[in-house]
Amino acid sequence: MKTYLIATAALLSTTFGAMAEGELNLYNWGNYTSPEMLEKFTAETGISVTVTDYDSNTTALTKVEAGASGFDLVVPSANYIPVYVRKGLLAELDHSKIPNITNIAAEWKDVPWDPGRAHSVPWQWGSVGIAVNTSVYSGDPNTSELFLDPPEELVGKINIVPEMNDVLNMAIFNAGGEACTEDLTVLKAVRDRLMAAKPKWLSMDYGTTDKLSSGDYAASVNWNGSTMRARVNNPDVVYGYPKEGYPLFMDSVALLADAKNVDEAYQFINFILEPENAAMISAFARYANGVAGSEEFMPEDMKTAPEIVTPAEFAEAGQFLPTCPQSAVDLYTAIWTELLK
């Protein structure tokens, strides 16, 4: 993980020193926070924001659960929100301090993983698929077979993002299983396929956007927004929706129970629910955001992008991952731990 103080935010904090009201510590996925949005927030509030990166939900949860993290806000995926709540790691939100909470789009206001948005508000949402460089491989990108049994053109050129639930569930769907399955026959088949496939991969790395853009990776299990950013830089990159099934996700901002800068956190939460500000987040990371009215501020190229607008024939193959029981998590963790060795 890498901790950094956004330089522009620091500059604005100095420039607007007389109006400075405090600081805020945001714990978020790497390369996922718009610097322009942070500049605007600091300019309007005088609050400087320090962003600390993580590369997986497991990394973030482990760090927060250890305590004394110093973070105020965290951005877990949907299936992790209930885990944070169960462990007492999140504060219940005071909606009276978030007037812009009414801007959350109707379909995201009352979600299974956080009923009534008691603990979180939307950040961004999207899908997990397969990014492919068509100058290297011109076959069908819409299958998880590309990383489970790579064609010769892609052997030694594939990256796997290090997010356990995304990778394992894509393999489980390929094997005909369901999310949170504890069927040992299915899980043994998944384990065996992943272990057999690993020698044909190049890496298990979070930082895919630049390496897909440059051609260092010819393919990757990857998120749709990251793939769009790579495709904008390199038109040979395409995004595949595995027809066997693929995960959907929504990452949401949550206030940590031990946050020190609570007032500043509420100002930030309210700020990102302004449609124009939500669109700034999307324009940077290239994911949809869940805030009604943000569409008019979105970049034109996102409105029709194949990574953002799911083709009808693959729409039903995507599903949000539920929060699995601990018994299933233990099984998945055992497979993942072996895979990482």
Side-chain angles (χ1 to χ4, degrees), residues 29 32 54 56-57 75-82 84 113 163 166 223 248-252 321 323:
W29 296 82
Y32 201 40
Y54 54 83
S56 73
N57 278 296
V75 192
S77 298
N79 55 322
Y80 273 76
I81 293 286
Y84 276 80
W113 59 84
E163 176 55 35
D166 291 342
W223 299 284
L248 301 175
F249 68 87
M250 170 170 271
D251 298 326
S252 296
L321 301 179
T323 302

Side-chain angles (χ1 to χ4, degrees), residues 13-307:
S13 179
T14 301
T15 304
F16 293 90
M19 61 174 282
E21 297 179 15
E23 60 183 29
L24 180 68
N25 295 297
L26 172 64
Y27 195 30
N28 200 359
W29 296 82
N31 202 18
Y32 201 40
T33 309
S34 164
E36 292 78 14
M37 181 274 293
L38 293 181
E39 289 179 22
K40 182 180 179 183
F41 176 72
T42 299
E44 292 187 5
T45 66
I47 299 168
S48 61
V49 182
T50 300
V51 181
T52 303
D53 292 351
Y54 54 83
D55 61 3
S56 73
N57 278 296
T58 303
T59 298
L61 178 60
T62 300
K63 179 70 172 179
V64 170
E65 193 172 11
S69 67
F71 305 131
D72 302 306
L73 297 170
V74 68
V75 192
S77 298
N79 55 322
Y80 273 76
I81 293 286
V83 179
Y84 276 80
V85 172
R86 186 176 69 245
K87 291 176 178 288
L89 300 174
L90 301 183
E92 188 166 347
L93 293 178
D94 181 349
H95 288 188
S96 70
K97 296 181 179 179
I98 316 171
N100 286 334
I101 202 163
T102 57
N103 292 335
I104 297 177
E107 62 268 34
W108 304 116
K109 284 187 175 181
D110 189 25
V111 288
W113 59 84
D114 188 18
R117 286 291 179 180
H119 296 92
S120 70
V121 302
W123 179 260
Q124 295 185 96
W125 72 276
S127 62
V128 189
I130 310 290
V132 179
N133 187 319
T134 57
S135 71
V136 178
Y137 177 73
S138 59
D140 180 15
N142 300 296
T143 174
S144 48
E145 287 293 316
L146 291 186
F147 82 94
L148 292 170
D149 186 15
E152 188 61 34
E153 300 97 312
L154 296 179
V155 172
K157 304 173 183 176
I158 299 173
N159 178 67
I160 307 298
V161 292
E163 176 55 35
M164 178 180 75
N165 286 283
D166 291 342
V167 176
L168 288 190
N169 277 288
M170 201 177 291
I172 288 169
F173 298 154
N174 182 281
E178 298 180 350
C180 296
T181 184
E182 296 184 51
D183 185 323
L184 296 182
T185 300
V186 171
L187 293 179
K188 183 180 185 303
V190 165
R191 178 263 175 207
D192 291 348
R193 289 207 78 189
L194 288 170
M195 293 302 295
K198 184 181 178 181
K200 300 178 182 180
W201 303 339
L202 174 63
S203 57
M204 297 182 70
D205 178 36
Y206 177 82
T208 57
T209 303
D210 290 343
K211 291 181 180 179
L212 281 168
S213 300
S214 65
D216 291 342
Y217 296 153
S220 181
V221 173
N222 202 35
W223 299 284
N224 62 316
S226 170
T227 305
M228 181 180 176
R229 294 170 74 180
R231 192 255 304 163
V232 169
N233 296 329
N234 183 349
D236 289 333
V237 175
V238 300
Y239 183 69
Y241 296 85
K243 53 182 174 286
E244 302 88 357
Y246 59 90
L248 301 175
F249 68 87
M250 170 170 271
D251 298 326
S252 296
V253 179
L255 177 63
L256 289 170
D258 61 354
K260 304 300 182 187
N261 303 299
V262 175
D263 290 341
E264 291 85 354
Y266 272 111
Q267 290 185 63
F268 186 82
I269 291 170
N270 195 58
F271 180 86
I272 64 172
L273 293 178
E274 281 283 355
E276 187 171 1
N277 300 332
M280 292 178 75
I281 298 171
S282 292
F284 173 76
R286 299 295 191 155
Y287 298 93
N289 57 59
V291 173
S294 65
E295 298 80 7
E296 66 178 287
F297 302 103
M298 298 280 269
E300 285 298 319
D301 62 352
M302 288 188 68
K303 296 177 181 178
T304 57
E307 302 89 355

